[in-house]
Amino acid sequence: MTSAEIREAFLTFFSEKGHDIVPSSSIVVKNDPTLMFTNAGMNQFKDYFLGNKKSPSQRVADTQKCLRVSGKHNDLEEVGVDTYHHTMFEMLGNWSFGDYFKQEAIAWSWQLLTEVYRIPKDRLYVTVFQGDENENLPKDEEAMAEWKKWIGEDRIVLGNKKDNFWEMGDTGPCGPCTEIHVDMRRDESRHQQQGSELVNKDDPQVIEIWNNVFIQFNRLKDGSLEPLPDKHVDTGMGLERLVRVLQQKQSNYDTDVFGGIISATERITGKKYTGRIGKKDVAFRVIADHIRAIAFTIADGQLPSNTGAGYVIRRILRRAARYYFSYLDYKLPLLHQLLPLLGEQFKHVFPELFAQIDFISRVIKEEENAFLKTIDAGLYRFGVYATQGLGFTYDGGEEIAQKNSSLQFKYESSRRKKIVSGEFAFELYDTFGFPIDLTQLLASEKGWTVDMEGYEKALQQQKGRSRAAAATDTEDWILLSEDPTNEFVGYDSLEIKTRITRYRKINAKGKSGFQLVLSTTPFYPESGGQVGDTGRLLLDTGEIIISDTKKENDLIIHYADTLPDDLSGEVSACVDAAKRKATEIHHSATHLLHAALRQVVGKHVAQKGSLVNQDHLRFDFSHFSKLAPEEIVRIEALVNQKIRDNIPVVIKQMPKDEALTQGAMALFGEKYGYTVRVVIIDPAYSLELCGGTHVGSTGTLGTFRIRQETAVAAGVRRIEAVSGKAAEDYINEHLRQLQTIKERLKHPKDPLKALELLLTEIAVQQKKIEKQETRQLNTLRNELINKIQPVNGTQFIGEIVEVSTADALKKLCIHLKSELKNAVIILVANIEGKANVVLGIDEDIVSAKNLEAPGIIKEHIAPLIKGGGGGQKTLATAGGQDASQLPAVIETVKSLL
């Protein structure tokens, strides 16, 4: 069976067992602060397990895109090294929400594996939870009894809490699980040792392929467990491992899931994949795995960046690039060339990838180009570090030379011992993406060693900082009502009577506060780029200020800094109407802008992020070049025309498929239900799926102005704009500035002409000043040449001079150096109360006496003037706070000679 046939057989089997087949949710998680990425099949169903929401179907099956590269599920450094770890993977799953339980789940697992997939029964083993006395957890006798119906007891392995008890987190739903393992060893090995002895022992040939979790408890904050009113089944079977078993391969990477990508990589690089464990073969596996993770996350809306989830994707991409750069000796962008093949492979199961293939390819190519330049920079930086002598010569200019000298000076004690500092090795890893083994390789080639203890210490410190930044301590919910309703009514009402059903105290990043849930709420939770509402809750016992509203696992949560003692009784919930109105104006303006961009720039434009608040809107979109000024003018004109047309903003509820058929735009990565909300601003102009709040008609916006257009990532541009009162304020501020300019130029009728005359006059005066400065420097140069002193066989000039800029001081020194042989020149100046120093040394003196300008500056001059500096071997500069020491600077250099 091909991987596509294996996937289809799973879904068909459970469809015939009465399961609804649902699409995969986005691999990029939204509205859940506990996750960056979907890391398990159950993520999209968390609300059903938590009791926050009722599932429309009690039986569900799917194949879910998952990514495990952060948090406790961090397999990144294992990927490619072995044959079965992955970053992105597909998780086949079947689910029961309060319907069937252990009997059916176990029986169907056995039936599918042995009758449909025809895995030999004597190769299968199962695990059952053995219990845990410390937590008063009994052995799972029910699962044991069910398995005995299908498999011999000698093939049932008892597992501990670590392997056979599943928990969503420190608190929440949990329960025992039963795993199914398959023995892939050859017959002679199987006869020598029972497979049951190798279950969960990390044997690469005796592997887990399916896990059935039986969710029957709820763990509380104090660690105790209580039975759940409804019991659930949550299963997961990794498609990649299943395909390996059914295609009888020794490695996941030998299957048709990855074979096409590996073959394409062979063609591109001219290298051959052997399937062994060497670095070259690891590189093939890393590329085959990582390209999927990168492509699917970008397709679902997460672009590579320097923070959060975007940083994780950038790390994965750079890890792949490091491997092909270092071990396949391929120095050009490679990953983007694999995208067409990947899009075709998943065209029918994940069409969102195929639909955006051009955009994804260009984003990846730009990221690769940028990183390959970074690798070159890292190699250069390592070369600077490992070069003997403080004065590293580089023709990239004085600033670069100063940085090089600073780097060498910082690590001089380690460098003298031919040791790569652990701190520096970590900098290469963290800033330039160097794996530590590449740094070790470079070091060994030069006969140096790497301080691995220091490297590990720096690495752990960074992990500690990351954990501290993300730490959130949340108490258990305190229930005030058993009412599970959490209805949003804010589309129609901004003030309602409601009740607080639960609350809890939170401590995040050192700040404490509270979260509240209302039975019915008019507060819009942050979603789809629109900020959360603020406002007040009025009780008989006092007032609660709501500072923000967010959505967590589809639960609308209200944030407050303080609470009164008594939260019982009816509550008046009042949204800040002025803020909401201004935010709605910017949200409707965003829809008008999106449609205008597609008309003016092209149909390839797709939303890649947005922010909508009361002050402005920010819209990120796919496009690979800066907008021309005339394009911005056309976009503004089109949006303002639609505003003047005062078009009604029509909002309809309809089935998702119907909305898409009508041409409504949906955002990849957003989670939509069967019924969607469609915002229509003229059916021929703008139709979008959107859960946000909007104005009643476009005339409410008043006017629209683009403040700026910039680049934010590879292939992504950003527009910041204003509408409504914010646009009026923006225009008025510019008019005030224009009026001030007119008054200052004293030319109210034609300020542009006055400005052009002023600029011309400035240019003329600048040339006069430059000529005057040149004459002054020539005069100074002649005066200084007459003050040459012979010092220990050199021509020495050391003087305090009067110049207006540090640049003039440097020019003067360069002129003197060019005219004099065997000279050492130290010129100093007090410029606006600051010490400025330039030191020039003839090349012959540098060679003969081993005197280098940056070393003298750093060791002798910078401490005197309380400053810093650096430069090249023959010319260096310094600046400092203490100008009173300038005479001492001259005497210091003279004494060195």
Side-chain angles (χ1 to χ4, degrees):
M1 300 172 76
T2 66
S3 56
E5 291 168 340
I6 291 167
R7 183 194 296 112
E8 187 58 35
F10 178 90
L11 299 175
T12 299
F13 178 86
F14 281 103
S15 177
E16 291 172 352
K17 300 295 184 186
H19 291 64
D20 285 344
I21 308 303
V22 299
S24 169
S25 65
S26 169
I27 201 170
V28 181
V29 174
K30 300 183 180 180
N31 299 328
D32 186 347
T34 66
L35 287 173
M36 283 186 182
F37 304 102
T38 297
N39 62 10
M42 59 78 61
N43 289 161
Q44 69 165 306
F45 306 118
K46 277 175 69 173
D47 285 338
Y48 307 148
F49 296 135
L50 290 166
N52 296 334
K53 199 173 181 182
K54 186 172 179 59
S55 171
S57 174
Q58 287 188 291
R59 297 184 180 188
V60 167
D62 71 348
T63 179
Q64 172 64 52
K65 299 172 291 186
C66 297
L67 188 68
R68 287 188 181 176
V69 286
S70 58
K72 67 179 181 179
H73 297 300
N74 191 344
D75 298 339
L76 182 58
E77 296 308 320
E78 301 295 327
V79 175
V81 178
D82 60 29
T83 61
Y84 52 90
H85 274 100
H86 299 291
T87 51
M88 184 264 171
F89 59 95
E90 281 187 67
M91 186 67 82
L92 302 170
N94 58 288
W95 319 83
S96 168
F97 306 113
D99 187 18
Y100 63 83
F101 204 45
K102 297 179 185 179
Q103 178 181 352
E104 295 87 348
I106 288 172
W108 291 340
S109 299
W110 188 256
Q111 181 184 352
L112 178 63
L113 293 179
T114 61
E115 297 179 18
V116 177
Y117 291 140
R118 299 185 181 278
I119 299 176
K121 297 177 182 180
D122 66 349
R123 288 186 176 272
L124 294 174
Y125 296 85
V126 300
T127 63
V128 170
F129 181 49
Q130 67 186 14
D132 189 310
E133 290 184 5
N134 293 331
E135 300 204 19
N136 198 29
L137 290 170
K139 176 182 176 182
D140 193 352
E141 296 287 3
E142 186 180 356
M144 175 67 80
E146 291 301 327
W147 273 122
K148 286 181 181 179
K149 297 177 183 178
W150 305 102
I151 194 171
E153 193 167 352
D154 62 326
R155 309 181 76 78
I156 303 175
V157 180
L158 293 178
N160 58 23
K161 181 173 179 287
K162 175 179 176 291
D163 291 327
N164 283 89
F165 195 86
W166 177 88
E167 301 187 74
M168 184 181 292
D170 294 334
T171 61
C174 55
C177 63
T178 179
E179 305 164 338
I180 305 172
H181 296 250
V182 61
D183 189 344
M184 298 285 291
R185 295 175 298 156
R186 292 184 172 88
D187 288 341
E188 55 267 29
S189 298
R190 294 171 62 219
H191 292 148
Q192 292 171 7
Q193 185 179 16
Q194 288 292 319
S196 57
E197 298 175 13
L198 299 174
V199 168
N200 280 331
K201 296 295 190 297
D202 292 326
D203 189 292
Q205 300 301 318
V206 182
I207 58 174
E208 174 196 342
I209 58 169
W210 205 345
N211 191 10
N212 282 257
V213 178
F214 305 119
I215 302 176
Q216 58 190 96
F217 302 112
N218 181 42
R219 186 176 293 281
L220 303 178
K221 186 75 173 181
D222 62 7
S224 63
L225 297 172
E226 63 179 13
L228 289 171
D230 292 321
K231 297 176 181 179
H232 312 292
V233 174
D234 161 12
T235 83
M237 178 158 55
L239 175 69
E240 292 78 10
R241 288 192 185 186
L242 178 63
V243 173
R244 169 187 168 185
V245 171
L246 298 184
Q247 294 183 358
Q248 299 180 35
K249 302 294 185 181
Q250 295 299 302
S251 162
N252 291 8
Y253 293 93
D254 295 336
T255 67
D256 69 335
V257 176
F258 299 99
I261 294 295
I262 288 176
S263 295
T265 305
E266 287 180 320
R267 290 194 302 272
I268 293 167
T269 63
K271 302 293 191 296
K272 294 300 293 182
Y273 176 65
T274 66
R276 301 192 181 111
I277 59 173
K279 290 291 188 183
K280 177 168 69 70
D281 292 300
V282 170
F284 276 100
R285 291 192 288 270
V286 165
I287 291 165
D289 172 274
H290 287 11
I291 187 61
R292 303 197 318 158
I294 299 160
F296 276 103
T297 48
I298 293 174
D300 280 353
Q302 181 57 65
L303 295 167
S305 69
N306 285 328
T307 58
Y311 178 62
V312 175
I313 303 310
R314 180 165 281 168
R315 276 186 61 210
I316 296 173
L317 188 150
R318 291 184 168 187
R319 184 171 186 257
R322 275 178 3 220
Y323 269 91
Y324 70 66
F325 182 93
S326 299
Y327 303 116
L328 299 183
D329 196 31
Y330 194 78
K331 310 303 184 186
L332 299 172
L334 183 153
L335 300 175
H336 76 100
Q337 300 179 56
L338 303 172
L339 261 294
L341 177 64
L342 196 69
E344 283 292 337
Q345 180 179 346
F346 292 100
K347 183 176 181 178
H348 299 294
V349 62
F350 301 122
E352 64 273 16
L353 180 67
F354 183 81
Q356 303 180 86
I357 210 71
D358 290 340
F359 170 73
I360 298 168
S361 297
R362 295 182 72 174
V363 170
I364 292 175
K365 184 178 181 181
E366 290 203 17
E367 282 287 324
E368 289 184 275
N369 273 323
F371 182 56
L372 291 175
K373 291 177 183 176
T374 301
I375 287 183
D376 281 340
L379 289 170
Y380 168 74
R381 192 163 176 82
F382 182 89
V384 172
Y385 181 98
T387 299
Q388 296 297 316
L390 277 176
F392 185 81
T393 302
Y394 179 67
D395 61 3
E398 181 187 350
E399 183 181 352
I400 299 295
Q402 288 181 16
K403 289 180 179 178
N404 293 343
S405 182
S406 175
L407 167 67
Q408 294 184 327
F409 188 78
K410 179 179 179 181
Y411 296 110
E412 183 59 16
S413 60
S414 296
R415 294 176 63 251
R416 292 190 188 279
K417 301 172 188 174
K418 294 189 175 182
I419 295 173
V420 177
S421 155
E423 182 184 350
F424 178 71
F426 176 73
E427 177 196 318
L428 288 178
Y429 166 74
D430 194 44
T431 305
F432 298 97
F434 266 50
I436 188 62
D437 55 355
L438 178 55
T439 302
Q440 289 173 310
L441 176 65
L442 292 170
S444 65
E445 287 174 350
K446 295 184 69 69
W448 291 43
T449 58
V450 180
D451 173 18
M452 289 304 298
E453 185 176 341
Y455 170 80
E456 289 295 336
K457 181 180 178 182
L459 184 64
Q460 292 306 317
Q461 286 174 342
Q462 187 215 41
K463 289 181 177 179
R465 289 191 296 269
S466 298
R467 282 192 295 268
T472 300
D473 181 22
T474 305
E475 303 286 345
D476 279 334
W477 286 108
I478 297 174
L479 297 181
L480 301 178
S481 167
E482 295 295 333
D483 182 4
T485 308
N486 183 224
E487 182 184 3
F488 174 67
V489 296
Y491 292 131
D492 305 310
S493 304
L494 296 184
E495 292 189 20
I496 63 165
K497 299 291 185 180
T498 184
R499 288 180 179 273
I500 300 172
T501 60
R502 64 176 82 174
Y503 73 96
R504 63 183 175 186
K505 187 174 182 179
I506 59 170
N507 291 285
K509 299 180 181 179
K511 183 181 178 182
S512 63
F514 297 89
Q515 295 178 338
L516 304 96
V517 176
L518 307 178
S519 59
T520 307
T521 179
F523 288 83
Y524 182 82
E526 179 182 324
S527 182
Q530 181 173 333
V531 297
D533 279 335
T534 59
R536 300 177 300 158
L537 300 181
L538 303 178
L539 302 86
D540 292 338
T541 55
E543 179 183 73
I544 301 171
I545 302 299
I546 301 300
S547 59
D548 202 357
T549 310
K550 295 181 183 293
K551 188 182 289 186
E552 184 176 322
N553 302 318
D554 279 345
L555 197 65
I556 299 174
I557 296 174
H558 309 75
Y559 288 75
D561 293 333
T562 59
L563 294 181
D565 294 334
D566 186 0
L567 299 177
S568 62
E570 198 171 55
V571 177
S572 293
C574 308
V575 173
D576 183 333
K579 177 187 172 185
R580 166 74 85 84
K581 186 68 173 179
T583 303
E584 287 177 343
I585 283 173
H586 283 126
H587 202 153
S588 297
T590 301
H591 284 226
L592 294 177
L593 170 62
H594 192 182
L597 278 165
R598 289 173 64 85
Q599 280 198 22
V600 173
V601 180
K603 296 298 182 184
H604 65 279
V605 166
Q607 180 176 334
K608 292 298 171 185
S610 70
L611 171 69
V612 177
N613 62 27
Q614 71 272 31
D615 298 319
H616 69 286
L617 69 90
R618 190 179 70 209
F619 188 77
D620 297 345
F621 60 99
S622 53
H623 190 54
F624 283 86
S625 60
K626 180 180 176 63
L627 293 185
E630 58 270 21
E631 287 179 314
I632 292 177
V633 169
R634 287 171 60 198
I635 291 164
E636 275 192 339
L638 183 53
V639 172
N640 281 306
Q641 181 60 55
K642 298 301 178 182
I643 291 172
R644 289 192 297 275
D645 291 344
N646 199 22
I647 303 165
V649 178
V650 178
I651 297 174
K652 293 183 178 179
Q653 301 274 353
M654 64 179 70
K656 178 184 173 184
D657 291 344
E658 180 184 337
L660 297 178
T661 300
Q662 291 185 16
M665 283 190 291
L667 300 183
F668 288 110
E670 288 290 347
K671 183 178 176 182
Y672 299 106
Y674 172 77
T675 302
V676 294
R677 193 167 179 267
V678 183
V679 177
I680 306 168
I681 308 176
D682 180 354
Y685 183 71
S686 173
L687 287 87
E688 288 194 44
L689 306 190
C690 179
T693 64
H694 289 270
V695 300
S697 61
T698 60
T700 309
L701 276 56
T703 189
F704 171 85
R705 286 291 178 270
I706 293 175
R707 295 200 304 202
Q708 64 175 348
E709 188 264 350
T710 57
V712 290
V716 179
R717 308 293 301 179
R718 170 173 293 173
I719 281 179
E720 294 184 32
V722 284
S723 192
K725 177 69 163 51
E728 182 182 330
D729 293 342
Y730 175 75
I731 294 168
N732 286 338
E733 176 59 26
H734 279 70
L735 289 173
R736 279 193 293 272
Q737 292 176 6
L738 179 59
Q739 183 59 35
T740 302
I741 290 169
K742 288 179 177 181
E743 291 171 358
R744 297 289 296 275
L745 292 175
K746 299 178 180 178
H747 207 307
K749 291 186 177 180
D750 196 348
L752 187 59
K753 182 179 179 181
L755 180 60
E756 289 172 349
L757 290 171
L758 179 61
L759 291 174
T760 300
E761 184 179 340
I762 289 172
V764 169
Q765 294 302 322
Q766 187 66 40
K767 287 182 179 179
K768 289 181 180 179
I769 291 170
E770 289 172 359
K771 288 180 180 179
Q772 180 65 24
E773 185 180 77
T774 300
R775 285 195 292 269
Q776 289 176 342
L777 290 179
N778 287 336
T779 301
L780 267 174
R781 180 193 63 197
N782 296 332
E783 290 175 359
L784 292 170
I785 288 175
N786 292 328
K787 294 182 179 181
I788 292 175
Q789 303 174 44
V791 179
N792 195 17
T794 68
Q795 296 192 85
F796 176 72
I797 297 177
E799 290 289 334
I800 299 175
V801 297
E802 291 188 12
V803 292
S804 58
T805 66
D807 187 54
L809 189 69
K810 185 177 176 182
K811 282 181 181 179
L812 182 58
C813 186
I814 292 171
H815 288 163
L816 288 167
K817 271 181 86 268
S818 67
E819 293 191 19
L820 301 175
K821 296 293 184 184
N822 199 37
V824 175
I825 303 159
I826 179 76
L827 301 181
V828 299
N830 182 336
I831 302 174
E832 296 180 356
K834 301 290 179 66
N836 286 265
V837 178
V838 181
L839 173 61
I841 306 177
D842 187 82
E843 186 77 45
D844 293 338
I845 297 175
V846 169
S847 302
K849 301 195 175 187
N850 197 28
L851 282 176
E852 297 176 354
I856 295 173
I857 287 283
K858 285 182 178 297
E859 189 173 349
H860 300 284
I861 295 176
L864 269 177
I865 62 175
K866 298 179 182 178
Q872 297 167 297
K873 289 182 180 181
T874 61
L875 184 72
T877 62
Q881 300 298 316
D882 192 352
S884 68
Q885 293 297 314
L886 292 179
V889 168
I890 296 171
E891 289 305 315
T892 297
V893 176
K894 188 175 182 180
S895 66
L896 285 174
L897 293 178

